[in-house]
Amino acid sequence: MTQSETALLPADASGIAEAARLLAAGGLVSFPTETVYGLGADARNSHAVARIFDAKGRPRFNPLIVHVPDLNMARRYADITGVLADLAQSFWPGPLTLVAPLVDGHGLSPLVTAGLDTLALRVPAHPAAQDVLRVFDGPVAAPSANPSGRISPTTAMHVMEGLGGRIDAVVDAGPCPVGLESTIVGGNPLALLRPGGLAQEDIERAIGPLAQAGEAITAPGQLASHYAPGATVRLNANAAHPGEVLLGFGPMASDLNLSLSGDLIEAAANLFDHLHALDALGRPIAVAPIPECGLGRAINDRLRRAAAPRP
Ligand code: TXA
Ligand code: MG
């Protein structure tokens, strides 16, 4: 892809229709929200979600925020009741993300939740975001549309400069009014997990004081052995030892293969599902070497956590 292969779409009916078509086809589409430009993909499509991490060059599979047009659709994916429902009624659509328990049969890619049993959900207020989500009519995973480690984009030109040639399209609706990521609340007791575009004071006026965020909630991916399978995991294995099952990569004999052709995007898309499937066999898991480049960094980060000694 060259930079010119990223389409710059107008935020009118034709541009929104094309954005929705690209999302449905597994594409990556950046769109404006009132906070920052997001980099969207169909949250049910593991391959599309893996492409988000690849395009951003993210060294880790952090859980992503899922964007939906309204509270009704949010409830297909997470249990929004009690004080979370009060917050949704007061501040959605708007710059607030709620972390809530996943519901059974949610159908989202495990890459979106990074294996957690909670989900971060947001209903953006920006008219272009609302239009994209309504026409697409499904859940859109979207981190900020910047290369990992760079400043979040608040114009379509920022997105083009950072990700042009790596994504399918940008919907251009001018600068974002808030310019700061959404505020995230979640946990039990409910805590502020990330300060952002909605002031803590406004939240506390609506529902009373928030708790102090605990370490484990603020940094779900940071614990070395987080999301570890039940089985022990041995890395950089070229063959299974007796009793082990082998998770392969590239052309080789194995019990399951992340990508026979050695495609790192395909491997990322398969990672969580294959680990779950092998873990269900109840035997130690050996994993073939994964190259430490591109999405391989995030895959290896996840595998090292899976293989770390348990607390
Ligand atoms: O304003 C925003 O929120 C922008 C726009 C595009 O909507 N999106 C955004 O997404 O900032 P992202 O992926 O960069 O932020 C995700 C944050 C991470 O800090 C992650 O740890 C947290 O949400 N998060 C996601 N799922 C979580 C969960 N289940 N529990 C706790 N934190 C979660
Ligand atoms: Mg970001």
Side-chain angles (χ1 to χ4, degrees):
M1 253 184 158
T2 63
Q3 181 152 339
S4 63
E5 288 173 68
T6 297
L8 193 62
L9 302 173
D12 61 11
S14 72
I16 299 294
E18 176 63 3
R21 191 193 65 77
L22 286 166
L23 287 171
L28 296 187
V29 177
S30 175
F31 60 94
T33 76
E34 66 275 37
T35 60
V36 299
Y37 274 73
L39 178 57
D42 184 341
R44 299 159 297 196
N45 179 333
S46 285
H47 193 270
V49 176
R51 282 189 62 203
I52 291 181
F53 292 96
D54 184 52
K56 285 181 65 90
R58 261 203 189 174
R60 272 195 191 146
F61 296 121
N62 306 334
L64 301 176
I65 296 173
V66 168
H67 297 64
V68 289
D70 53 37
L71 176 57
N72 266 349
M73 193 184 290
R75 287 191 159 131
R76 289 191 207 163
Y77 305 106
D79 182 23
I80 298 175
T81 48
V83 72
L84 290 177
D86 296 341
L87 285 174
Q89 304 283 3
S90 301
F91 298 111
W92 278 358
L96 173 68
T97 294
L98 300 177
V99 175
L102 276 166
V103 298
D104 288 341
H106 55 77
L108 300 173
S109 164
L111 278 178
V112 167
T113 56
L116 297 174
D117 55 9
T118 54
L119 177 66
L121 275 161
R122 165 158 146 60
V123 176
H126 195 292
Q130 276 286 326
D131 289 347
V132 168
L133 294 170
R134 286 197 188 283
V135 175
F136 175 61
D137 194 25
V140 174
S144 52
N146 51 286
S148 187
R150 304 257 298 271
I151 301 163
S152 294
T154 55
T155 68
M157 276 309 113
H158 294 164
V159 178
M160 275 292 190
E161 281 159 23
L163 296 175
R166 304 181 64 83
I167 65 178
D168 296 289
V170 185
V171 176
D172 184 0
C176 302
V178 176
L180 185 71
E181 275 95 343
S182 62
T183 301
I184 306 181
V185 299
N188 191 7
L190 200 67
L192 184 76
L193 304 183
R194 178 178 79 180
L198 178 66
Q200 180 172 358
E201 290 82 348
D202 291 335
I203 296 172
E204 295 189 328
R205 250 192 304 279
I207 59 157
L210 293 164
Q212 284 293 109
E215 285 278 302
I217 304 169
T218 44
Q222 309 308 97
L223 292 172
S225 75
H226 208 79
Y227 329 135
T232 61
V233 176
R234 183 170 69 87
L235 303 181
N236 296 315
N238 289 305
H241 292 165
E244 286 180 337
V245 286
L246 181 63
L247 180 59
F249 176 81
M252 63 189 294
S254 59
D255 295 276
L256 276 177
N257 199 301
L258 290 169
S259 170
L260 271 173
S261 65
D263 177 327
L264 287 166
I265 295 177
E266 184 184 11
N270 285 330
L271 180 64
F272 286 91
D273 281 332
H274 283 10
L275 280 176
H276 276 288
L278 290 180
D279 198 28
L281 301 177
R283 286 154 57 192
I285 301 170
V287 186
I290 313 289
E292 185 73 14
C293 60
L295 268 192
R297 289 183 209 281
I299 295 172
N300 282 324
D301 172 75
R302 175 62 186 81
L303 287 170
R304 278 191 293 270
R305 287 166 201 282
R310 310 296 150 79

